[in-house]
Amino acid sequence: MAQAANADFKTRLQSLLPKLVLSPSLALVLVFVYGFIFFSVYLSFTDSRLLPSYGWVGWENYSKLWRLSHWKTSLTNMGIFAALYISVCTVLGLGLAIFLDQKVRAEGMIRTIYLYPMALSFIVTGTAWKWFLDPGIGLENVLQTWGWATFEFDWIKNRDFAIYTVVLAAVWQTSGFVMAMFLAGLRGIENEILKAAQMDGASNWNLYRRIIIPQLRPAFLSAFVILSHLAIKTFDLVIALTGGGPGRATELPATFMYSYTFSRNQMGIGAASATIMLMTIAAIMIPYLYAELREKK
Amino acid sequence: MSVATQDTAIRTGRVTRTLIYLILILFALFYMLPLYVMAVNSVKPLDEITGGGMMNLPKVFTLEPWAKAWSYAQIGVDPTGLQPYFWNSIKMVVPAVAISTVLGALNGYVLTKWRFRGDTILFGLMLFACFIPFQIVLIPMARMLGLMGMAGSTGGLVLVHVVYGIGFTTLYFRNYYAVFPTELIRAAQIDGAGFFQIFWRILLPSSGPIAVVSIIWQFTNIWNDFLFGASFAGADSQPMTVALNNLVQSSTGVKEYNVHFAGAILAALPTLLVYVVAGRYFVRGLMAGSVKG
């Protein structure tokens, strides 16, 4: 009897073990991700300033937020940045992948060179580009000493153009990764269809336009999702490259949230802006993850 | 890269090929440019840079900027150089990578070989956690670390990086174990092998490649993190990225570009080294995080 009970306990333990093993991670995620999201969203409806406080104020933080010119600037910048960053990375990534796919010599080396920026910290990237684009010592100065006396390139110090330097540095960092995604897609396309079309006398241009690029749809989708979530999360690069300046010319929602929460003691407004960032990313990521996980079954 | 399967059937003429090589080389130069600028200017005296010679090779070669960046540049209040922060990063990265990879392996094992109702939803919840804008957890995390007595400590940063890394490590091991034959597991079960025995004896011995992917991904991400370091680190736990930013942004005195460049390379060196040595695995991790396995 005792033996049977013991064996019974052992099998029950065995059947419980998988869930026991999973539970610490699950608990961490539930508390530190979903619990925290709930807490932050709650704070966005309170009168929190320097510290969390629990006086309910309804939508007040949100209506204040949308009246702030600082927030509107961040959103406008985000629009410019995201549109350019995503489209330039995609076009460049696709173009380079197609060129690299033409049985090129030293392909491995070229790929390695295109992709290494992805291994760097945005702080390193920001530092390198900050001084390279600096009119005093960087590109402008160099070209002037080389004899092009009228050359001017002060974008990083210019309110109207600084945001484009953020695009430049971000594209430099991630376009190689997008290239790798498209290259993987290109390598998966059946050659038989291409050969058949070639027999029918299709030009290379038409092969790409009509057959190859349409088949890269999954790669386009992945690139879009990854790039848009990276765009919304962009923070370190701006901090290192421009510090959000000149003025507020390169402020993004992520830097806005940080300064309102931690240096301006407007935690309620900071939490409201973080909530909007989360909602935007969720609108892109959740359908994508849902489709990815469903197909796998 | 692990995805190279077949060459394209497209044929190109000589002129097109020359053009293609030209464009490829041009972009290779574009990607190398910042690294060249950093490397060349980190071994020059300052006046060569301010004199407009940023693109030139050094006339006078000096390792002084490296020595200064490493051991006595002013960072924050003390002239300590980046050295102590380098070790702070190491102390944070090693345990965080180890813990998150072990947890990821166990989770991947459970989610593929011991499936239960609702496991995909739980995995989806873990995976979504990787993509959230971390601004949404900064405020409660600061409170929580304070409550747990871990505010400003390396332990606190390890915890943070483990929590927000689990999703990716679980994803890697889950995709990897998903194609591992389940019949082998069932057979071992019939022979009386238990949960951990199966993991230890059957799955773990063949997990080498994916463990490398997971370790490299976590190492790169955590080493390069700035947001958590800037938000939660104390004076004696600040990681390298935060220290580098402080060095470059400090507004006192002359801007020592050569020291900044040396510092930037020092901060980039560990991840660059990993990339050069094990780039294949790095790319695999990158791709697994975005495209289906």
Side-chain angles (χ1 to χ4, degrees):
Chain A
M1 274 290 269
Q3 246 178 350
N6 195 9
D8 188 44
F9 173 74
K10 265 186 107 172
T11 43
R12 277 183 53 191
L13 183 70
Q14 277 293 332
S15 67
L16 264 180
L17 254 182
K19 283 170 193 162
L20 274 178
V21 166
L22 193 63
S23 50
S25 306
L26 211 55
L28 281 179
V29 169
L30 284 182
V31 173
F32 285 84
V33 177
Y34 296 95
F36 282 9
I37 287 176
F38 179 80
F39 187 79
S40 286
V41 173
Y42 180 78
L43 282 184
S44 73
F45 292 102
T46 65
D47 56 358
S48 303
R49 295 179 76 85
L50 173 62
L51 291 169
S53 120
Y54 304 102
W56 186 264
V57 295
W59 293 96
E60 199 182 303
N61 288 322
Y62 289 88
S63 57
K64 264 190 204 156
L65 178 68
W66 287 100
R67 283 199 304 269
L68 284 172
S69 68
H70 194 161
W71 173 246
K72 285 179 202 154
T73 311
S74 315
L75 284 186
T76 315
N77 288 338
M78 177 87 275
I80 299 173
F81 173 73
L84 280 173
Y85 169 64
I86 295 172
S87 51
V88 175
C89 272
T90 309
V91 171
L92 201 62
L94 178 64
L96 292 177
I98 289 176
F99 290 149
L100 210 50
D101 193 34
Q102 309 300 328
K103 300 179 209 82
V104 159
R105 245 178 277 172
E107 186 201 315
M109 201 183 82
I110 299 177
R111 257 183 354 217
T112 307
I113 292 173
Y114 286 5
L115 248 164
Y116 87 89
M118 208 54 196
L120 302 181
S121 154
F122 276 117
I123 300 294
V124 172
T125 303
T127 304
W129 283 99
K130 181 190 180 75
W131 296 143
F132 180 70
L133 297 174
D134 188 88
I137 57 158
L139 192 59
E140 180 179 295
N141 191 6
V142 167
L143 286 184
Q144 284 174 356
T145 30
W146 283 357
W148 187 352
T150 54
F151 182 81
E152 270 186 45
F153 192 76
D154 65 344
W155 284 15
I156 198 161
K157 303 265 181 187
N158 184 324
R159 274 166 194 267
D160 297 326
F161 290 99
I163 189 72
Y164 301 109
T165 63
V166 183
V167 176
L168 175 64
V171 165
W172 177 81
Q173 176 124 352
T174 28
S175 48
F177 169 40
V178 182
M179 181 276 301
M181 281 165 66
F182 280 118
L183 194 58
L186 286 171
R187 294 282 152 88
I189 288 175
E190 285 291 325
N191 269 333
E192 302 311 312
I193 315 165
L194 297 182
K195 281 178 185 151
Q198 272 171 341
M199 298 270 208
D200 293 342
S203 66
N204 281 349
W205 167 249
N206 271 329
L207 285 179
Y208 274 105
R209 202 166 60 105
R210 295 268 167 87
I211 303 176
I212 299 178
I213 290 174
Q215 283 200 56
L216 290 176
R217 257 185 67 187
F220 274 104
L221 182 66
S222 300
F224 174 78
V225 169
I226 298 295
L227 289 172
S228 53
H229 115 271
L230 283 177
I232 296 170
K233 284 164 88 165
T234 300
F235 174 76
D236 334 9
L237 183 61
V238 172
I239 296 291
L241 188 68
T242 61
R248 290 172 188 166
T250 52
E251 287 279 2
L252 293 176
T255 58
F256 172 95
M257 185 277 169
Y258 203 83
S259 63
Y260 265 72
T261 309
F262 296 109
S263 28
R264 291 170 182 243
N265 301 330
Q266 297 272 7
M267 192 175 277
I269 292 179
S273 66
T275 304
I276 292 171
M277 287 173 68
L278 175 76
M279 294 304 165
T280 318
I281 286 191
I284 300 167
M285 285 314 295
I286 289 177
Y288 178 72
L289 290 180
Y290 182 75
E292 289 268 301
L293 292 179
R294 244 171 74 105
E295 276 172 50
K296 256 186 193 140
K297 274 193 178 171
Chain B
M1 204 148 65
S2 61
V3 283
T5 47
Q6 60 169 13
D7 275 329
T8 176
I10 298 282
R11 286 183 297 258
T12 40
R14 185 177 283 172
V15 181
T16 323
R17 288 192 75 73
T18 316
L19 256 171
I20 287 174
Y21 274 108
L22 216 69
I23 292 171
L24 288 177
I25 291 167
L26 213 68
F27 273 96
L29 292 178
F30 167 68
Y31 289 109
M32 288 308 285
L33 184 69
L35 194 62
Y36 170 81
V37 168
M38 285 197 284
V40 173
N41 290 294
S42 71
V43 289
K44 277 181 200 171
L46 190 58
D47 56 348
E48 271 190 46
I49 304 176
T50 46
M54 188 178 247
M55 297 301 284
N56 303 346
L57 291 170
K59 286 189 208 105
V60 181
F61 178 88
T62 167
L63 284 175
E64 185 51 28
W66 283 74
K68 185 162 190 186
W70 179 250
S71 49
Y72 65 93
Q74 185 90 17
I75 291 167
V77 269
D78 297 315
T80 57
L82 290 167
Q83 188 184 11
Y85 304 95
F86 186 89
W87 297 118
N88 285 347
S89 272
I90 298 274
K91 275 184 258 171
M92 166 184 80
V93 167
V94 172
V97 170
I99 297 170
S100 59
T101 299
V102 169
L103 286 176
L106 287 169
N107 294 342
Y109 170 50
V110 171
L111 289 170
T112 51
K113 302 304 169 203
W114 300 86
R115 303 199 55 179
F116 51 90
R117 271 176 71 91
D119 58 355
T120 311
I121 293 180
L122 291 184
F123 174 62
L125 284 175
M126 293 173 95
L127 193 54
F128 179 63
C130 301
F131 297 101
I132 58 169
F134 294 120
Q135 275 74 16
I136 197 77
V137 296
L138 287 184
I139 303 166
M141 184 55 106
R143 298 277 290 174
M144 183 65 117
L145 290 175
L147 285 175
M148 292 164 64
M150 292 173 105
S153 72
T154 302
L157 286 174
V158 170
L159 174 73
V160 173
H161 285 298
V162 167
V163 169
Y164 302 107
I166 290 179
F168 271 124
T169 59
T170 303
L171 169 74
Y172 293 144
F173 283 98
R174 181 181 177 270
N175 286 356
Y176 189 77
Y177 290 151
V179 289
F180 191 90
T182 306
E183 300 80 58
L184 275 178
I185 312 282
R186 296 291 162 253
Q189 258 185 309
I190 291 165
D191 290 344
F195 177 84
F196 284 111
Q197 257 183 323
I198 295 174
F199 180 64
W200 196 253
R201 296 253 181 92
I202 302 179
L203 282 167
L204 215 51
S206 66
S207 303
I210 202 64
V212 175
V213 168
S214 169
I215 288 168
I216 289 180
W217 173 268
Q218 285 295 89
F219 175 80
T220 310
N221 262 359
I222 300 173
W223 184 276
N224 288 342
D225 162 73
F226 175 76
L227 181 62
F228 290 141
S231 309
F232 305 131
D236 53 359
S237 62
Q238 274 180 353
M240 194 71 170
T241 46
V242 176
L244 172 64
N245 191 51
N246 288 343
L247 170 71
V248 176
Q249 310 290 349
S250 89
S251 47
T252 48
V254 192
K255 281 202 172 25
E256 293 180 292
Y257 305 108
N258 49 359
V259 177
H260 298 175
F261 285 129
I265 299 179
L266 282 169
L269 221 47
T271 52
L272 265 186
L273 208 69
V274 167
Y275 175 69
V276 170
V277 173
R280 212 156 50 87
Y281 292 100
F282 175 75
V283 176
R284 219 171 121 180
L286 218 50
M287 307 292 282
S290 56
V291 192
K292 273 184 287 285

